[in-house]
Every structure is written in structure tokens, then in C-alpha cells.
Amino acid sequence: PGLKKTDSQTVGTEVYGSKFTGEEQFFKDYYESLIKDEEGQELLNPWSLTINQDSIFMCSAASETKILHPHNGEVKELISDTLWPGCALGTTISVGRNNNLIAQNNGKTASYDYKNKTISWRIESDVTSQPAVGYGLVFVINQGKLKAHDELTGELLWQFTAQDKLTSNIIVAAN
């Protein structure tokens, strides 16, 4: 609900926008250049998409996120704050309920308020999973433990250590 009957997907460096009927709405090619790691080696700068009722969020491993218009794919805004970690390879942004984006990369998890254009909070940690958001909480796996942080402040509220080390992504669901 609320997605205004649009869907987006990525194929290579392209973003397609279509109605759920299959009718093409837009096509954009967002080629991302190579980035360099700490040793100076060139790496691909892959990106992933997350969508909500207002925007398409295009997150890459660099400290940059494009916010696209959901009906034409044009860039509405560019997040290039040096405190924003971007998205680790194989992860994407989680969209919170308070106009915030949550992502993790390079041992940092951060919340970005995209309406006010500020970093709300940032945690330095050994997070090994994509953050999951639900019920006002941000869930991460950190050093094999499931941790729950307050979505607004980033404060650690509780943690759980399972008998076996947790290593996979987290899904938050009702009931």
C-alpha cells in the first residue's frame, strides 16, 4: 500500500520504473564509476535500491546515496555526507518510520534524516548484517549477538546471545 502502483528493479546499471500492469514508466542508466579501496585497488561501486511511497533510494558502497523520483527516475537529492556510511556490498537501506534511512558499511551503522538532511545517529561497531527496522527499533547482528537500538536515538536497548552464533540477515514481521 502507498507505493502508487510503481515498482523498480535493477539490471546492471539500469533502473526501470513500471506500473504493476507491466507498462514501462521510465528507464534510466545510472552507471557508477569504480571506487578505490584502502590499498588503492579499483573496485566496482555497486548500488542497491529501496523504495517507499515518495522516493527510490539508490545506495552505493561509497558515502553517497541518490534519492530518485518514483515516477520518472530523476535525481531529487544527493546524500553525500561524509558521516553517512553508504551500503555494504549485498545490503540496502532500511527506511524507518521517521523520515530516516538506516544503513551499515565499514563497521558503522547510521541513521540519516532525509527530510532535515542530517545524520541522526551513528554507531561504530562490528555489524555483520543489514539493519532491519520495525516497531521503533533497529535490529543488527553485532559480534554474533542480536542487538536492538532505539530508531530515533540509536541507543542500545537490549541484546540477545543465542547458543549458536547469529550470522544471517534479520527480518522483522508482525505476529
Side-chain angles (χ1 to χ4, degrees), residues 6-164:
T6 44
D7 188 15
S8 291
Q9 61 183 344
T10 61
V11 179
T13 61
E14 296 132 4
V15 178
Y16 295 91
S18 64
K19 297 183 178 182
F20 284 115
T21 61
E23 176 187 343
E24 185 174 306
Q25 198 162 350
F26 67 84
F27 167 82
K28 295 286 181 186
D29 189 355
Y30 286 106
Y31 176 76
E32 296 296 313
S33 61
L34 298 175
I35 57 173
K36 293 190 178 186
D37 65 11
E38 291 91 23
E39 290 87 38
Q41 297 291 322
E42 288 190 335
L43 305 170
L44 287 175
N45 185 15
W47 45 267
S48 59
L49 296 177
T50 301
I51 197 168
N52 74 0
Q53 65 273 14
D54 301 319
S55 302
I56 300 169
F57 304 96
M58 187 173 145
C59 190
S60 73
S63 295
E64 182 176 282
T65 298
K66 290 181 173 102
I67 300 177
L68 311 178
H69 191 283
H71 298 294
N72 61 22
E74 295 294 325
V75 176
K76 298 190 317 184
E77 183 180 339
L78 180 66
I79 301 170
S80 59
D81 190 314
T82 56
L83 295 176
W84 176 244
C87 294
L89 185 61
T91 69
T92 190
I93 291 175
S94 296
V95 180
R97 64 181 177 174
N98 298 296
N99 298 318
N100 60 322
L101 305 175
I102 298 166
Q104 73 86 15
N105 194 12
N106 295 323
K108 298 169 188 71
T109 302
S111 176
Y112 182 84
D113 180 335
Y114 66 92
K115 295 293 184 195
N116 294 313
K117 299 172 182 37
T118 59
I119 299 288
S120 303
W121 52 263
R122 184 173 127 153
I123 300 167
E124 305 268 342
S125 61
D126 185 24
V127 174
T128 57
S129 68
Q130 175 174 318
V133 180
Y135 304 102
L137 301 173
V138 176
F139 299 93
V140 297
I141 295 174
N142 186 337
Q143 298 177 341
K145 299 175 186 174
L146 177 64
K147 294 187 175 187
H149 295 267
D150 183 275
E151 183 183 343
L152 291 176
T153 66
E155 175 188 355
L156 178 63
L157 300 176
W158 56 263
Q159 61 185 346
F160 171 76
T161 304
Q163 287 181 329
D164 294 326

